[in-house]
């Protein structure tokens, strides 16, 4: 399950695998150290569903909101009635409704003693870090010069072959030192990655937004931003417009994420802005923070960043004669040691700076609480969590849309659609996450429960009140949202991205609702006992076409009775099958890694022990899977017969007369049934590809640090060749079958839908990505067509007034 991380410095959004949970890495944009949040526990994840798979993700601005009802706000921040009210208000009436929400002012937030202490300690310590770094460089350089100046006497009096050896020993420290110094100087010339397109709004296009922002700046005592930028993050931030060049002045830029504005009430949004401007009212603290983040980011590049120089050194050392390469090996050891020293300095800096940054957040939180109210602060924290959940659902929707050549043109709109679909359990999960969240000494933001408690201690009623959505103050919110959505796509797909790939979000949501209806019909049809791990086959579609309507009705009733009887046991069996399948994949992954003699880095794969215990575990899983398969088979055969009976009943004149377009539905259903049978015939091949790809994923994960492990490299090549053959086989089987659903690119074959071309056999990365894409596509196609067949079946069964099976989801 992927995890989304948002960089607190540059707002860059990064998606990583769940194996990185709890670990640290670098932002690819600004090189800040990022801590990947741990995933929520299984119970909470199950309660919320797929859209909350990564609930621990931090927002860059502050963490979090929801819907604690207060005296001044409605239960749900962006509620539909508020949006309707916004539509009714225009021009002067809207401005009056917004600006009349400001009622009074509040005194400046005094600088807390802990904050002052944090600034003093941080300022003192951060001055030392660059000095220590330079000292290390000069120490290495000075040591080399001392050696060359004082140890040249070792060259005297040595002749012949011994002279060459002594000269190599004499000159080696100079070469090693030069390499170490070069690697330590290298970060001075490293430029940050290029920023994506900047999109701004102006006072002419959004006058109410600017007036609103200026009023908040006046209340907070902050300088006004020179520019307001917008993007597609669930975030807001205020920063120096020109970096170091703006450090001594008040040249500030405000950045607003359109999804954030879409998901908050105007009162909550005002509080978030007060928080950001509260940072700038801190004066020296804000500037010190900028310096601290810059130094920490630079140190991070020194410690972690690897480039072509590092690759050259790693490849050159083993390729040269040992009589020469020993110098490079010593240089690598020296570089490693210098980076270890700097690693200690970096984490010392994070430790000291973390204290100040946390106090700074508490300070800014007080501005938010005093402007929007202490109760609203807690609600905003929870709402931001819910927005993160909804964002995961929006990303899942995007993946689904993209498989049919479509991208949503308005991600904030898609986010809000997913927010409305979150189940009630989501709010409870948010409360549990906040209650369980623990802080670290290295964190730049305190845990939400501490921040909420601090805001509550303010007992601030607030000075701004509004039930309007935050979108009310934007002149053309939907147009801006479409713009930032396109900007995000261009940052992902590159400058060649075509806006024609974007489709109206409302239309895509309608398609999603239609697909949801089919999914629910499938769940009802199978009484909750459907799993993509098993194939559903139709009995013969040709031999019995001339059977009578009574024959099909009797088969329908018999199949329903069988399914009704077996469904409860099958639901439990499927749970066991899911667990067994997960265990099988882990066994295959662990076995492959052990055969390469590498240290397994993934904790869940270390539990299987040696070859004997692993063989026993695999035999147990194979036996259990076979046993469960035998148990499920009668149920699956009954399901196939039931689907077939409903399909052929559409040809019965009495039924056809009561079902609109019965002939067209029969033709469609027959095509889908034939494709379902074809996919079922290759179901085992599909899961072989899935297993191969799963093994390849952990092999790639273990390459770092094992590049000279020939067994690992051979294993990767072997699995890549295996995946290549499997891709060719699966794609060939569907080359003459038309894709049965609507696609943005028009008519195509199933093979073209799955994959346009097969990558060359020597492109290992592309083969892995192709396999990672083809498997889910084919499985999704199979479940989608079964969903459509189940809706057809329900249409026929409704004619007979047959209810859903007992125990089926409502």
């Amino acid at each position: 399950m992927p995890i989304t991380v948002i960089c607190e410095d540059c707002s860059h959004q990064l998606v990583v695998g769940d194996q990185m949970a709890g670990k640290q890495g670098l932002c690819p944009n600004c090189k800040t150290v990022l801590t990947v949040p741990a995933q929520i526990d299984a119970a909470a994840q199950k309660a919320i569903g797929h859209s909350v798979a990564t609930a621990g993700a931090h927002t860059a601005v502050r963490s979090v909101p929801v819907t604690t009802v207060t005296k001044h706000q409605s239960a749900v921040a962006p509620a539909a009635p508020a949006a309707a009210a916004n539509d009714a208000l225009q021009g002067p009436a809207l401005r009056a409704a917004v600006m009349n929400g400001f009622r009074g002012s509040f005194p400046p937030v005094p600088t807390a003693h802990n904050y002052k202490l944090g600034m003093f300690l941080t300022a003192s310590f951060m001055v030392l870090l660059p000095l220590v770094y330079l000292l290390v460089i000069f120490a290495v350089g000075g040591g080399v010069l001392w050696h060359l100046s004082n140890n040249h006497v070792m060259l005297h009096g040595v002749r012949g072959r011994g002279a060459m050896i002594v000269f190599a020993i004499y000159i080696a420290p100079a070469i090693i030192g030069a390499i170490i110094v070069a690697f330590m100087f290298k970060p001075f010339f490293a430029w940050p990655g290029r920023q994506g397109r900047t999109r701004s709004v102006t006072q002419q296009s959004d006058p109410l937004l600017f007036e609103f922002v200026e009023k908040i700046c006046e209340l907070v005592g902050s300088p006004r931003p020179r520019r307001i930028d917008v993007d597609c993050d669930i975030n807001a931030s205020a920063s120096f417009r020109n970096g170091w060049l703006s450090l001594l002045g008040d040249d500030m830029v405000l950045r607003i994420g359109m999804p954030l504005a879409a998901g908050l009430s105007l009162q909550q949004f005002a509080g978030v802005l007060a928080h950001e401007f509260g940072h700038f009212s801190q004066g020296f603290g804000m500037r010190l923070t900028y310096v601290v983040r810059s130094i920490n980011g630079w140190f991070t590049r020194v410690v972690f960043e690897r480039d072509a120089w590092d690759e050259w050194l790693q490849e050159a050392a083993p390729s040269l004669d040992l009589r020469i390469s020993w110098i490079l090996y010593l240089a690598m050891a020296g570089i490693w040691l210098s980076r270890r020293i700097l690693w200690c300095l970096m984490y010392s800096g994070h430790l000291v700076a973390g204290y100040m940054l946390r106090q700074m957040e508490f300070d800014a939180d007080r501005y938010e609480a005093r402007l929007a109210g202490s109760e609203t602060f807690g609600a905003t924290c929870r709402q931001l969590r819910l927005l993160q959940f909804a964002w995961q659902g929006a990303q899942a929707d995007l993946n689904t849309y993209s498989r049919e050549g479509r991208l949503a043109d308005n991600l904030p709109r898609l986010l809000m659609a997913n927010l409305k679909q979150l189940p009630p359990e989501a709010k409870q999960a948010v409360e549990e996450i906040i209650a369980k969240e623990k802080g670290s000494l290295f964190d730049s933001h305190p845990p939400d429960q501490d921040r909420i408690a601090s805001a509550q201690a303010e007992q601030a009623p607030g000075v701004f009140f509004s039930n309007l959505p935050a979108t009310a103050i934007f002149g053309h919110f939907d147009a801006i949202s479409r713009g930032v959505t396109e900007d995000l796509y261009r940052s992902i797909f590159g400058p060649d991205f075509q806006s024609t790939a974007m489709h109206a979000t409302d239309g895509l949501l309608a398609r999603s609702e239609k697909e949801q209806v089919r999914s629910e019909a499938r769940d009802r049809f199978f009484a909750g006992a459907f799993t993509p791990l098993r194939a559903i086959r139709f009995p013969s579609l040709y031999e019995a076409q001339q059977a009578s309507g009574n024959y099909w009705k009797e088969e329908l009733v018999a199949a329903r009775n069988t399914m009704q009887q077996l469904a409860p046991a099958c639901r439990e069996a499927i749970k066991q099958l899911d667990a067994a399948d997960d265990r099988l994949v882990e066994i295959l992954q662990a076995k492959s890694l052990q055969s390469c003699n590498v240290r397994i880095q993934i904790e869940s794969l270390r539990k299987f022990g040696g070859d004997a215990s692993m063989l026993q575990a695999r035999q147990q899983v194979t036996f259990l899977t076979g046993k469960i398969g035998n148990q499920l088979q009668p149920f699956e055969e009954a399901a196939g017969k039931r689907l077939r009976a409903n399909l052929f009943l559409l040809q019965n004149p009495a039924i056809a007369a009561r079902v609109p377009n019965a002939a067209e539905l029969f033709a469609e259903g027959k095509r889908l049934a034939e494709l379902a049978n074809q996919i079922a015939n290759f179901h085992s091949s599909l899961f072989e590809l899935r297993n191969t790809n799963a093994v390849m994923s952990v092999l790639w994960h273990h390459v770092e640090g094992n590049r000279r492990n020939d067994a690992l490299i051979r294993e990767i090549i072997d699995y890549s060749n295996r995946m290549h053959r499997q891709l060719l086989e699966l794609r060939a089987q569907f080359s003459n079958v038309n894709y049965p659903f609507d696609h943005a690119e028009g008519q195509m074959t199933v093979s073209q839908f799955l994959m346009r071309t097969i990558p060359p056999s020597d492109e290992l990365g592309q083969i892995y990505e192709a396999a990672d894409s083809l498997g889910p596509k084919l499985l999704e196609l199979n479940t989608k067509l079964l969903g459509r067949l189940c809706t057809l079946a329900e249409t026929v069964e409704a004619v007979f007034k047959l209810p859903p099976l007992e125990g089926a989801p409502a």
Side-chain angles (χ1 to χ4, degrees):
M1 191 72 69
I3 301 176
T4 301
V5 187
I6 299 177
C7 178
E8 297 176 350
D9 284 355
C10 69
S11 302
H12 181 79
Q13 183 168 284
L14 177 68
V15 180
V16 299
D18 57 5
Q19 70 272 11
M20 292 296 293
K23 298 182 180 179
Q24 291 186 319
L26 294 182
C27 171
N29 188 35
C30 69
K31 308 305 178 186
T32 296
V33 175
L34 302 178
T35 300
V36 180
Q39 292 183 289
I40 62 176
D41 57 50
Q45 182 169 330
K46 180 179 179 182
I48 303 172
H50 77 278
S51 38
V52 264
T54 61
H58 289 286
T59 57
V61 68
R62 6 173 318 358
S63 238
V64 249
V66 211
T67 73
T68 299
V69 180
T70 72
K71 186 162 113 178
H72 305 291
Q73 106 184 35
S74 59
V76 178
N86 179 36
D87 293 338
L89 293 172
Q90 299 292 334
L94 175 60
R95 178 190 174 279
V98 171
M99 300 308 295
N100 288 342
F102 291 100
R103 303 170 192 172
S105 61
F106 56 86
V109 174
T111 304
H113 294 299
N114 288 342
Y115 186 19
K116 293 178 181 178
L117 175 62
M119 285 192 290
F120 174 76
L121 293 176
T122 302
S124 303
F125 193 81
M126 297 310 291
V127 169
L128 295 177
L129 287 182
L131 295 179
V132 173
Y133 181 77
L134 292 174
L135 182 62
V136 173
I137 295 177
F138 285 125
V140 174
V144 170
L145 291 176
W146 181 89
H147 165 74
L148 294 177
S149 301
N150 293 274
N151 293 333
H152 58 83
V153 293
M154 63 189 301
L155 300 175
H156 301 162
V158 183
R159 298 289 185 271
R161 188 172 182 178
M164 296 296 295
I165 296 175
V166 172
F167 178 76
I169 295 174
Y170 173 73
I171 202 65
I175 298 174
I176 295 169
I179 293 175
I180 294 174
V181 170
F183 270 75
M184 296 186 72
F185 262 115
K186 179 180 60 173
F188 284 110
F189 306 99
W191 293 90
R194 293 185 62 184
Q195 298 288 332
R197 172 178 176 174
T198 297
R199 184 179 295 270
S200 303
V201 294
T202 66
Q203 195 150 11
Q204 289 70 36
S205 66
D206 295 84
L208 184 54
L209 170 64
F210 274 79
E211 185 178 2
F212 186 76
V213 166
E214 289 175 0
K215 180 62 176 178
I216 294 176
C217 289
E218 176 187 331
L219 292 171
V220 171
S222 163
R224 293 168 175 79
R226 300 286 183 87
R227 195 178 74 222
I228 298 179
D229 296 340
V230 290
D231 59 21
C232 208
D233 289 331
I234 308 175
N235 184 33
S237 62
S239 59
F240 294 108
R241 188 162 64 100
N242 293 313
W244 290 89
L245 298 178
S246 302
L247 197 60
L248 298 179
D250 292 329
D251 192 6
M252 181 179 62
V253 60
L254 172 66
R255 182 176 291 269
I256 299 172
M258 291 296 97
L260 177 76
L264 298 182
S265 71
L266 188 58
Q267 185 170 340
Q268 292 172 332
F269 184 66
V272 170
L273 295 185
H275 175 99
E276 294 304 323
F277 295 136
H279 284 311
F280 268 85
S281 70
Q282 294 161 342
F284 176 74
M286 185 64 186
R287 287 160 176 78
L288 178 59
T289 299
Y290 181 83
V291 174
V292 166
R293 292 188 186 276
S294 299
I295 293 176
N296 282 344
W298 189 83
F299 261 96
T300 301
R301 292 205 303 273
V302 175
V303 174
F304 292 110
E305 193 174 69
R306 303 294 183 267
D307 56 18
W309 289 23
D310 296 272
E311 293 179 4
W312 172 83
L313 199 58
Q314 287 186 347
E315 294 173 0
S319 64
L320 297 175
D321 189 287
L322 186 59
R323 289 170 292 184
I324 300 175
S325 64
W326 68 272
I327 297 177
L328 297 183
Y329 280 119
L330 288 176
M332 291 171 63
I335 294 170
W336 178 88
L337 180 60
S338 66
R339 283 174 172 164
R340 286 293 91 187
I341 295 173
L342 296 172
W343 180 89
C344 295
L345 294 175
M346 179 193 72
Y347 272 93
S348 299
H350 286 319
L351 181 65
V352 174
Y355 177 79
M356 186 204 76
L357 294 175
R358 291 192 297 275
Q359 299 306 317
M360 187 176 187
E361 292 302 316
F362 282 128
D363 190 79
D365 289 346
R366 296 185 183 98
Y367 284 97
E368 178 172 353
R370 294 188 179 193
L371 185 130
S374 296
E375 292 297 326
T376 301
F377 180 93
T380 307
C381 286
R382 300 179 183 92
Q383 183 73 6
L384 286 173
R385 292 284 190 184
L386 290 175
L387 290 178
Q388 288 291 339
F389 295 169
W391 185 245
Q392 300 306 315
Q395 289 177 318
D397 287 340
L398 276 180
N399 288 335
T400 301
Y401 300 152
S402 66
R403 292 187 183 118
E404 292 191 341
R406 298 177 176 88
L407 292 171
D409 70 343
N410 190 329
L411 289 181
R413 171 78 177 88
L414 184 62
L415 171 76
M416 293 308 295
N418 277 272
L419 182 65
K420 292 177 182 178
Q421 293 173 359
L422 287 179
E425 294 83 0
K427 295 179 182 179
Q428 182 60 38
V430 164
E431 297 293 346
E432 293 175 1
I433 292 166
I434 292 176
K436 293 178 181 178
E437 187 179 31
K438 302 299 181 183
S440 163
L441 293 176
F442 295 98
D443 289 345
S444 61
H445 286 61
D448 286 342
Q449 59 180 329
D450 294 347
R451 301 175 70 173
I452 293 173
S454 175
Q456 291 288 349
E458 288 287 306
Q459 297 183 346
V463 299
F464 176 76
F465 311 104
S466 176
N467 284 322
L468 291 172
T471 57
I473 60 175
F474 291 84
H476 306 280
F477 187 82
D478 284 339
I480 299 172
S481 295
R482 286 190 288 271
V484 298
T485 298
E486 183 174 351
D487 294 343
L488 178 63
Y489 291 149
R490 291 193 185 281
S491 70
I492 295 173
F493 300 110
D496 295 332
F497 172 76
Q498 299 294 321
S499 58
T500 53
M502 298 167 58
H503 293 252
T505 301
D506 287 340
L508 295 179
L509 289 171
R511 297 172 68 90
S512 293
E513 291 174 3
K514 189 176 181 180
E515 190 54 42
Q516 182 65 24
V517 169
R518 295 174 178 177
S519 176
E520 292 169 354
R522 185 190 64 236
D523 291 342
R524 287 192 299 269
F525 183 91
F526 286 93
F530 172 79
T531 173
L533 297 176
R534 298 280 298 175
I536 301 297
R537 288 183 172 85
F538 280 70
S540 172
L541 296 173
Y542 302 99
E543 297 175 359
Q545 288 194 45
Q546 303 306 316
S548 67
N550 287 334
Y551 174 86
W552 294 124
K553 185 176 179 181
E554 290 174 3
E555 180 170 88
L556 169 60
V557 173
R560 280 175 55 91
N561 290 337
T562 300
M563 292 182 68
Q564 183 67 77
Q565 180 183 358
L566 299 176
C570 288
R571 286 193 291 267
E572 294 302 316
I574 285 174
K575 295 178 183 178
Q576 298 177 39
L577 182 63
D578 287 340
D581 182 68
D582 291 341
R583 187 170 177 82
L584 174 62
V585 171
E586 290 180 339
I587 291 171
L588 294 174
Q589 291 173 327
K591 182 177 183 301
S592 179
L593 291 172
Q594 284 193 1
S595 69
C596 301
N597 196 28
V598 300
R599 181 182 177 276
I600 298 178
Q601 301 172 13
I602 302 174
E603 186 175 353
S604 62
L605 301 183
R606 298 174 187 162
K607 60 189 176 186
F608 295 105
D611 291 340
S613 61
M614 195 174 301
L615 176 61
Q616 182 181 6
R618 183 167 184 179
Q619 289 174 342
Q620 291 174 346
V621 169
T622 302
F623 174 77
L624 179 60
T625 302
K627 180 180 177 181
I628 295 173
N630 292 335
Q631 181 180 351
L632 293 175
Q633 186 172 351
F635 179 86
E636 294 163 350
E637 290 176 349
K641 289 181 179 180
R642 181 182 169 194
L643 286 170
R644 182 181 68 168
N646 278 295
L647 178 61
F648 281 102
L649 279 168
L650 285 168
Q651 289 189 307
N652 182 274
I655 303 300
R658 301 175 63 181
V659 178
N661 303 316
E664 291 84 354
L665 293 178
F666 174 78
E668 178 192 2
K670 191 166 178 292
R671 288 195 304 271
L672 296 180
E674 290 170 351
L675 180 53
N677 275 348
Q678 190 168 354
I679 294 175
N681 291 336
F682 292 92
H683 197 265
S684 59
S685 298
L686 175 60
F687 276 87
E688 285 179 14
L689 176 64
R690 189 280 309 262
N691 294 342
T692 306
N693 194 58
V695 172
M696 179 66 99
S697 69
V698 299
L699 293 175
W700 280 121
H701 180 77
H702 286 74
V703 166
E704 189 63 36
N706 293 286
R707 295 182 181 274
R708 285 174 284 179
N709 186 322
D710 292 337
L712 176 61
I713 302 304
R714 285 195 302 269
E715 188 83 347
I716 289 175
I717 294 173
D718 177 63
Y719 269 89
S720 182
N721 291 335
R722 192 181 307 179
M723 280 195 299
H724 191 259
R725 292 192 298 269
Q726 291 169 332
L727 289 172
L728 289 171
E729 177 188 359
L730 280 170
R731 191 173 185 275
Q733 299 305 320
F734 301 97
S735 59
N736 296 319
V737 182
N738 288 332
Y739 180 66
F741 299 107
D742 178 44
H743 195 283
E745 298 179 19
Q747 186 63 49
M748 62 176 57
T749 65
V750 173
S751 291
Q752 291 171 326
F753 167 73
L754 296 175
M755 188 181 309
R756 291 295 185 181
T757 58
I758 302 290
S761 59
D762 58 346
E763 293 290 346
L764 307 188
Q766 292 183 23
I767 292 173
Y768 170 75
E769 291 176 358
D772 196 42
S773 170
L774 184 145
K777 275 188 172 183
L778 192 52
L779 280 176
E780 184 179 288
L781 173 59
N782 190 42
T783 57
K784 185 175 181 178
L785 62 88
L786 284 174
R788 176 56 178 156
L789 287 166
C790 290
T791 59
L792 297 181
E794 285 194 335
T795 300
V796 174
E797 292 183 8
V799 174
F800 295 106
K801 298 182 179 180
L802 296 174
L805 300 183
E806 293 180 13

